[in-house]
Amino acid sequence: SPSLRAAAMAAGPPPPLEPSPLPVFSEEGFGDKFLRKTRENPLVPLGCLCTVGILTYGLISFKRGNTRQSQLMMRARILAQGFTFAALLGGMVVTAMKSRK
């Protein structure tokens, strides 16, 4: 109704349209992010280190001609990779559950 509009205009100008300030995040470097992620899910870096160690030992065994040891290490590498993948998925599930709460 026109009388309402006139009363609202008489009350004063509308408040200025200023956006609320956005939160400022500090720039996170690679090292800081790596440490934060490691603290959140320490099993993933541990699984990666195990995988690399087993792979290296398996390649050394292969180069030396110890095929039995090399095959054993390649199978162990698959298990270590599976563990790492499971830890990664588990960490994602835990993070998703935390964000829901």
Side-chain angles (χ1 to χ4, degrees):
S1 74
S3 61
L4 264 173
R5 193 175 296 145
M9 290 182 95
L17 293 173
E18 291 181 24
S20 59
L22 295 172
V24 179
F25 296 106
S26 62
E27 195 62 36
E28 187 178 36
F30 175 78
D32 295 332
K33 185 174 183 178
F34 180 77
L35 288 174
R36 180 174 56 84
K37 293 282 189 182
T38 299
R39 271 187 242 110
E40 286 174 9
N41 192 354
L43 295 178
V44 172
L46 183 70
C48 289
L49 283 174
C50 287
T51 302
V52 169
I54 291 169
L55 176 63
T56 303
Y57 187 64
L59 290 173
I60 290 169
S61 297
F62 181 74
K63 189 168 171 64
R64 290 182 179 162
N66 188 349
T67 54
R68 175 141 172 73
Q69 186 69 30
S70 175
Q71 282 294 315
L72 195 64
M73 287 299 105
M74 290 306 119
R75 290 183 184 136
R77 176 189 58 90
I78 302 264
L79 289 174
Q81 280 180 301
F83 170 81
T84 305
F85 187 70
L88 189 64
L89 280 178
M92 289 170 60
V93 167
V94 168
T95 303
M97 297 301 254
K98 280 183 185 175
S99 68
R100 277 187 153 184
K101 290 181 181 177

